[in-house]
Amino acid sequence: MTIVTLTTDFGLSDPFVGIVKGVLLARAPGATIVDVTHGIPPQDVLAGALVLRQAVPFFPAGTIHVAVVDPGVGTSRRPLCVETSRGLLVGPDNGLLSLAAPRGDLRRVVHVTAERFFLSPRSTTFHGRDVFAPVAAALASGTSAAELGTEVADMERLGLPSPTVEARRIRGQVIYVDHFGNLVTNIDGETLARLEGTPSAIVVGGMRIPGIAASYAAVPTGSPLSVLNSWGLLEVAVRDSSALKHLGAGVGESVVVES
Amino acid sequence: MTIVTLTTDFGLSDPFVGIVKGVLLARAPGATIVDVTHGIPPQDVLAGALVLRQAVPFFPAGTIHVAVVDPGVGTSRRPLCVETSRGLLVGPDNGLLSLAAPRGDLRRVVHVTAERFFLSPRSTTFHGRDVFAPVAAALASGTSAAELGTEVADMERLGLPSPTVEARRIRGQVIYVDHFGNLVTNIDGETLARLEGTPSAIVVGGMRIPGIAASYAAVPTGSPLSVLNSWGLLEVAVRDSSALKHLGAGVGESVVVES
Amino acid sequence: MTIVTLTTDFGLSDPFVGIVKGVLLARAPGATIVDVTHGIPPQDVLAGALVLRQAVPFFPAGTIHVAVVDPGVGTSRRPLCVETSRGLLVGPDNGLLSLAAPRGDLRRVVHVTAERFFLSPRSTTFHGRDVFAPVAAALASGTSAAELGTEVADMERLGLPSPTVEARRIRGQVIYVDHFGNLVTNIDGETLARLEGTPSAIVVGGMRIPGIAASYAAVPTGSPLSVLNSWGLLEVAVRDSSALKHLGAGVGESVVVES
């Protein structure tokens, strides 16, 4: 059983995702297809890259991860197949695959050029259907990454903003907002450990939150809090509600941790 | 083939659901995973419990139903595995499982304590990934409910408001609003049968609807109607439109049936 | 492995889709279920028919396609099973299946009357659960279309507006708007080929777009463009944004191509 995951900005209201699955199942009948999400904001390559980075480690080794957030579809941007120590990534060369494939995990980056694996004719607007799904189906059916094209040195890489650490202050920012309105920052547990003393306040959107809570339920309903979340990142939440709504602070907003 | 269903408030825009499936498939490779819904309103345990109650009877006996609407994640609220005459329910002990597991159907309620089945390390914010998915995978792989922890007498139970019946009047309320804007009440067919005479009017949101229709299409487009719906409950709808929008009546709104 | 696809207006926030899958898997345990979409706008039979038409060709021959957009549920509108050269279609006789089953592809149209295949009791509001899912499960389990009821000559058919072609002008309209806000027109590549000369302007929503672009990325971010899309239809888009929002032009809006 080969697992093929899908991470896209296609949404769920059109037949796009269903069509991709039709192509996959027509060419790789035994594949198990799993949606990571199709709710990446349209054309938001960074959000897609973060989501893919979070999801990949929880799938079995050898899983094929297809990701399509592809504002350059139909141009010369390259289709890629990336082999890492964890599995195979298939998608456009625009940074989308890069956070899930740090250089240390790379085994092979292939510029996919073997058109015999593509659908024909090939549109200029839907390579999820015409290129990435059939390439994933080929991989699921036993084709090796090397057979798909030409090995290249590396891919487009996205830079995530890094937090800065002073003695008693960490300056970071919100990098992702989830469905609950929780604000995920770029400050991870290791960075927090470099602070002198215990975190005593998280400052975000004009609000001072006292320290880091053990869980969402550590404060009263409607109160803001911060936690070290399931991605290992500092997150700002409002209990039983939305920090996005309460704090009006989205991606890019400054977050300062003080001890 | 073991079926594992998922009912959560995770939404579909983040990788949360995909990650849960990755954990399930990594640990129970043959499982068939079915989404009941991930659209439970955030933290709305009652809505989740109602949805689970409606869905469970339509799955084969032995299906494993995972439900996660879990505002108390990371606190001491217990993880449960509940065995009923229909299948296995896995989720937090906050009432979420209770409507699908009436006391008469209970075989066993297990407080899940065997941490060897959990992911390690375990976050305080995502027990869907770290506790409930791996426990469901263990069940799907042949672990018995009894092996998961300590049997307990019962679980947290939610109370649904009951309708009151007078001779020629039933007083109930809206307990659920669906995607179409249909208003589902707590008045079932048996309760309606206790009314003296035939229902002649349903009063809701300041509107009098004449009697109970045979189908949505029994009235002109844009007109309100009531039907006995697919859950066996009295429902208020507006043909080809939304009763939620037209009547401005949501969960908790009074609904009176008169004969 | 039989594939059963689902195309509905059920949305994803209720248990409706999950329940349909429960019925399918209870009666056809080996089926592979694929969601085409559940995001058809409520009661929008034409949108459902277009989506089904686009999706069906990408699934293997023999796939069973269930479609439910069914404002007449509970009335005398007929349930149908339609056999085409590509597969089987199951749904209400209200035009929903018609665009995916042009007369030239028809093998058999069956009015489904064999109630032994239905769930019992049968609601008047949820034939997706009570009629169409169990009928699809019967087909997936080897029942032939002919066993389901009475062969009939044809079905309700929807008319799509046709574009009109003058020497140097094609007059069409928007027939579908996708998740990205792209405006899909009824003008296909063959119709464009009938224009004298090369398309020099697409006029829509008070805007003149110069010619047909090779891809979305052929114009600067925020600029409108037109492309021949993955459905073979002329589409109006705004790069990295929404034409729906920018042009304020939805379904039914006039689109004129001039050479």
Side-chain angles (χ1 to χ4, degrees):
Chain A
M1 182 200 61
T2 305
I3 300 172
V4 179
T5 81
L6 303 176
T7 302
T8 79
D9 64 351
F10 294 171
L12 292 170
S13 54
D14 302 301
F16 304 142
V17 173
I19 287 170
V20 163
K21 293 179 181 176
V23 172
L24 280 166
L25 291 172
R27 293 174 167 233
T32 296
I33 304 173
V34 178
D35 300 303
V36 170
T37 180
H38 301 286
I40 303 299
Q43 291 101 29
D44 190 340
V45 175
L46 178 58
L50 278 166
V51 159
L52 195 65
R53 178 180 78 171
Q54 296 310 322
V56 164
F58 293 95
F59 284 85
T63 295
I64 299 163
H65 300 279
V66 178
V68 192
V69 180
D70 194 13
V73 60
T75 68
S76 60
R77 69 93 191 88
R78 306 181 297 184
L80 293 184
C81 173
V82 178
E83 204 178 327
T84 76
S85 50
R86 295 185 175 284
L88 291 157
L89 311 175
V90 175
D93 185 19
N94 60 11
L96 180 63
L97 309 180
S98 63
L99 301 183
R103 286 197 182 82
D105 290 355
L106 279 188
R107 289 203 183 144
R108 197 191 298 266
V109 181
V110 175
H111 172 197
V112 179
T113 55
E115 299 192 2
R116 67 183 182 279
F117 295 110
F118 302 169
L119 254 54
S120 176
R122 180 160 90 248
S123 73
T124 60
T125 60
F126 192 6
H127 285 192
R129 178 190 75 186
D130 300 339
V131 174
F132 301 118
V135 162
L139 291 166
S141 307
T143 301
S144 70
E147 291 172 79
L148 295 172
T150 313
E151 194 166 341
V152 293
D154 201 3
M155 68 189 97
E156 286 291 320
R157 292 200 165 269
L158 295 178
L160 265 185
S162 292
T164 61
V165 186
E166 301 161 32
R168 308 183 68 87
R169 178 172 286 128
I170 301 171
R171 299 175 187 280
Q173 59 181 268
V174 175
I175 56 170
Y176 186 84
V177 180
D178 75 16
H179 156 74
F180 296 100
N182 297 325
L183 312 177
V184 181
T185 76
N186 61 343
I187 303 171
D188 63 14
E190 282 181 27
T191 303
L192 283 171
R194 291 166 56 201
L195 194 70
E196 284 178 19
T198 309
S200 64
I202 284 77
V203 185
V204 54
M207 173 93 62
R208 283 182 79 83
I209 298 169
I212 300 178
S215 74
Y216 296 128
V219 302
T221 292
S223 293
L225 72 143
S226 76
V227 290
L228 199 61
N229 77 3
S230 67
W231 298 358
L233 296 175
L234 186 71
E235 175 182 305
V236 174
V238 170
R239 182 174 174 187
D240 297 339
S241 188
S242 163
L244 177 66
K245 207 182 322 176
H246 279 251
L247 305 183
V251 168
E253 181 84 16
S254 158
V255 178
V256 177
V257 181
E258 299 173 355
S259 65
Chain B
M1 183 199 63
T2 305
I3 300 172
V4 179
T5 80
L6 303 176
T7 303
T8 80
D9 64 351
F10 293 172
L12 292 171
S13 54
D14 302 301
F16 304 142
V17 173
I19 287 170
V20 162
K21 293 179 181 176
V23 172
L24 281 166
L25 290 173
R27 294 174 166 233
T32 296
I33 305 173
V34 178
D35 300 303
V36 170
T37 181
H38 301 287
I40 304 298
Q43 292 100 30
D44 191 340
V45 176
L46 179 58
L50 278 166
V51 159
L52 195 64
R53 179 180 76 171
Q54 296 310 323
V56 165
F58 293 95
F59 284 86
T63 295
I64 299 163
H65 300 278
V66 178
V68 191
V69 180
D70 193 13
V73 59
T75 69
S76 60
R77 69 94 190 85
R78 304 181 299 184
L80 292 183
C81 173
V82 179
E83 203 177 326
T84 76
S85 51
R86 294 185 177 283
L88 292 157
L89 311 175
V90 174
D93 184 20
N94 61 9
L96 180 62
L97 310 180
S98 63
L99 300 184
R103 285 198 183 83
D105 290 354
L106 280 187
R107 289 201 183 146
R108 196 191 300 265
V109 180
V110 175
H111 172 197
V112 180
T113 55
E115 299 191 1
R116 67 183 181 281
F117 295 110
F118 302 170
L119 255 55
S120 176
R122 179 160 90 246
S123 73
T124 60
T125 60
F126 192 6
H127 285 193
R129 178 190 75 185
D130 300 339
V131 174
F132 301 118
V135 162
L139 291 166
S141 306
T143 302
S144 70
E147 292 172 78
L148 296 173
T150 313
E151 193 165 343
V152 294
D154 201 4
M155 68 187 97
E156 285 290 321
R157 291 200 167 271
L158 295 178
L160 266 184
S162 291
T164 61
V165 185
E166 301 161 32
R168 308 183 68 86
R169 179 172 286 129
I170 301 171
R171 298 176 188 280
Q173 59 182 266
V174 175
I175 57 171
Y176 187 85
V177 180
D178 74 17
H179 155 75
F180 296 99
N182 297 326
L183 312 176
V184 181
T185 76
N186 61 344
I187 302 171
D188 63 14
E190 282 180 27
T191 303
L192 283 172
R194 290 165 57 202
L195 193 71
E196 285 177 18
T198 308
S200 64
I202 283 77
V203 184
V204 55
M207 174 94 62
R208 284 182 79 82
I209 298 169
I212 299 177
S215 75
Y216 295 129
V219 303
T221 291
S223 293
L225 72 142
S226 76
V227 290
L228 200 61
N229 76 4
S230 67
W231 298 359
L233 296 174
L234 186 71
E235 175 182 306
V236 174
V238 170
R239 180 172 176 189
D240 296 339
S241 188
S242 163
L244 176 67
K245 206 182 323 176
H246 279 251
L247 305 183
V251 168
E253 180 85 16
S254 159
V255 177
V256 177
V257 181
E258 299 174 355
S259 65
Chain C
M1 183 200 62
T2 304
I3 300 172
V4 179
T5 81
L6 303 176
T7 302
T8 79
D9 63 353
F10 293 171
L12 292 171
S13 54
D14 302 301
F16 304 142
V17 172
I19 288 170
V20 162
K21 293 179 181 177
V23 172
L24 280 166
L25 291 171
R27 295 175 166 232
T32 295
I33 304 173
V34 178
D35 300 304
V36 170
T37 180
H38 301 287
I40 303 299
Q43 291 100 31
D44 190 340
V45 175
L46 178 58
L50 278 166
V51 159
L52 195 65
R53 179 181 75 171
Q54 296 310 323
V56 164
F58 293 95
F59 285 86
T63 294
I64 299 163
H65 300 279
V66 178
V68 191
V69 179
D70 193 14
V73 61
T75 68
S76 60
R77 69 94 192 85
R78 305 180 298 184
L80 293 184
C81 173
V82 178
E83 204 178 327
T84 76
S85 50
R86 293 185 176 283
L88 290 157
L89 311 175
V90 174
D93 185 20
N94 61 10
L96 180 62
L97 310 180
S98 63
L99 301 183
R103 285 198 182 84
D105 289 354
L106 279 188
R107 289 203 182 143
R108 197 191 298 267
V109 180
V110 175
H111 172 198
V112 180
T113 54
E115 300 191 0
R116 69 183 180 279
F117 295 110
F118 303 169
L119 254 55
S120 176
R122 179 160 91 246
S123 73
T124 59
T125 61
F126 193 6
H127 285 192
R129 178 189 75 186
D130 301 339
V131 174
F132 301 117
V135 162
L139 291 166
S141 307
T143 301
S144 70
E147 291 172 78
L148 295 172
T150 312
E151 194 166 341
V152 293
D154 200 5
M155 68 187 98
E156 285 291 320
R157 292 199 165 269
L158 295 179
L160 267 184
S162 292
T164 60
V165 186
E166 301 160 33
R168 308 183 69 87
R169 178 173 286 130
I170 301 171
R171 298 176 187 279
Q173 60 181 267
V174 175
I175 56 170
Y176 186 84
V177 180
D178 74 17
H179 155 76
F180 296 99
N182 298 326
L183 312 176
V184 182
T185 75
N186 62 342
I187 302 171
D188 62 15
E190 281 181 29
T191 303
L192 283 171
R194 291 165 55 202
L195 194 70
E196 285 177 18
T198 308
S200 64
I202 284 79
V203 184
V204 55
M207 173 93 64
R208 284 181 79 83
I209 299 169
I212 300 177
S215 75
Y216 295 129
V219 302
T221 291
S223 294
L225 71 143
S226 76
V227 290
L228 199 62
N229 77 4
S230 68
W231 298 359
L233 295 175
L234 186 72
E235 175 183 305
V236 174
V238 170
R239 180 173 176 188
D240 296 340
S241 188
S242 163
L244 177 66
K245 206 183 321 178
H246 279 251
L247 305 184
V251 168
E253 181 85 15
S254 159
V255 178
V256 177
V257 181
E258 299 173 355
S259 65

